[in-house]
Amino acid sequence: MIAQDALRRAADALMAKAAIEIPDDYLTGLKAAAEQEDGDLSSFVLSAMLENYEAAKQDRRAMCADTGVPRWYVKMGNEARVEGGPVALEASLRGATADATRSVPLRPNRVHPLWRTDHNNNVGIGAPEIEYSFEPDGDWIDLTTVHKGGLFGTDYRMLFPGDGIDGIKRFFLDSLVAFGKRGLACQPAIIGVGLGGSKDATMVLGKQAACLRVVGDRNPDPKIAALERELMELGNSIGMGAMGFVGKSMVIDCHVEVGYCHTGGMPMSVHAFCLSSRRACARVHADGRIDYRTDPEWFTPYLRRETVGWPLEQERSSATR
């Protein structure tokens, strides 16, 4: 049984970590981009951001004044049991979000869409979002918080099978140019691409690809991995750098995730994380241990499975009988 106090302690720590401590994988990618950047203003922005990250860590302050909109991703081992059940788990995550808004502090960005009601704690109807996945075996729970910019930096298009890879590249470039020219995202960023699924599913896939995979990670499908590398190179070839200034550091990395879709279409979404890439993760064990990390390890073989059952070996053996 996983105790609520352990979940709450982990959630409280994660909210502060995500707001203050830039993940090592993104920091390494940003430093590499800074070394290659030759645009004057882009180089200045990158240098200033690296200094800001160090100051935030030393002063224990949020790395960006706009702390985005906190959200949670929960991955549960199949054998995990939670004290108080899922309702108590969600209460802990909402409570940690509210407390962090006061203690870190986070900017209270969440308001009612019509009345603009603001409880000053980033909690409300449907906020923070909590998404779930599951894993075979395991009696643990992984908690991941992401503080993603919640205003722009996202686009969607319904492509068709005939558009092919060229159509994917065209929409990808259209989106990045719009992000840079109109100030819709804070570059350089990890770019997530969702391909397939239904319209809502492709949006989820793209956002998860941007927020829940680390710099340097590659899709296990070699053809998709090659597409990720090609899109990253394309994104850095359009003449835009940090914050949309002239340069070549638009994209720190590109991640593509796919889902089976309707035979007549190929929905696609493009999402920019931001140049703070605020995420933090912890595994809470049944014995009370808490292991912190920055890689959510969200896209597991089980999550990407194509088969009816699991494990894959059992599915294959039954199909050959």
Side-chain angles (χ1 to χ4, degrees), residues 125-137:
I125 302 171
E129 296 89 347
I130 304 174
E131 298 181 32
Y132 294 89
S133 72
F134 306 93
E135 281 292 307
D137 305 319

Side-chain angles (χ1 to χ4, degrees), residues 58-238:
Q58 291 180 1
D59 296 345
R60 303 306 297 171
R61 294 184 296 174
M63 65 179 75
C64 181
D66 182 354
T67 53
V69 285
R71 60 192 303 123
W72 291 96
Y73 295 91
V74 179
K75 181 164 64 176
M76 302 181 67
N78 193 51
E79 308 306 318
R81 298 295 180 266
V82 183
E83 179 188 7
V87 171
L89 167 62
E90 292 200 343
S92 290
L93 300 183
R94 290 168 73 89
T97 302
D99 286 353
T101 303
R102 294 185 292 268
S103 63
V104 173
L106 306 178
R107 194 167 82 176
N109 282 331
R110 298 284 196 162
V111 300
H112 190 286
L114 295 176
W115 327 131
R116 316 312 286 178
T117 305
D118 186 347
H119 298 307
N120 292 315
N121 61 6
N122 282 304
V123 174
I125 302 171
E129 296 89 347
I130 304 174
E131 298 181 32
Y132 294 89
S133 72
F134 306 93
E135 281 292 307
D137 305 319
D139 59 356
W140 42 260
I141 290 180
D142 279 355
L143 299 179
T144 299
T145 187
V146 169
H147 299 180
K148 186 183 185 301
L151 202 54
F152 301 112
T154 296
D155 208 350
Y156 165 85
R157 184 175 293 177
M158 175 57 79
L159 302 177
F160 297 95
D163 291 317
I165 299 297
D166 287 342
I168 292 171
K169 294 176 183 177
R170 185 178 302 113
F171 177 46
F172 180 81
L173 290 177
D174 286 349
S175 298
L176 263 59
V177 170
F179 292 169
K181 288 177 63 177
R182 299 170 60 199
L184 301 183
C186 296
Q187 301 90 16
I190 299 174
I191 305 297
V193 175
L195 289 175
S198 55
K199 181 176 182 179
D200 58 335
T202 201
M203 294 295 285
V204 169
L205 279 173
K207 182 169 286 188
Q208 291 179 354
C211 299
L212 299 179
R213 287 177 55 190
V214 299
V215 174
D217 180 42
R218 286 289 155 258
N219 192 290
D221 185 320
K223 293 181 179 179
I224 297 178
L227 178 61
E228 291 175 334
R229 288 188 287 266
E230 187 170 1
L231 291 177
M232 179 179 172
E233 292 175 2
L234 280 173
N236 287 328
S237 71
I238 61 178

Side-chain angles (χ1 to χ4, degrees), residues 255-291:
H255 299 144
V256 178
E257 291 295 332
V258 304
Y260 276 35
C261 60
H262 189 284
T263 184
M266 186 173 64
M268 175 177 172
S269 67
V270 179
H271 302 254
F273 205 171
C274 71
L275 51 72
S276 294
S277 290
R278 295 168 293 223
R279 58 171 146 78
C281 181
R283 175 162 293 183
V284 184
H285 297 270
D287 61 7
R289 287 179 296 121
I290 303 174
D291 300 323

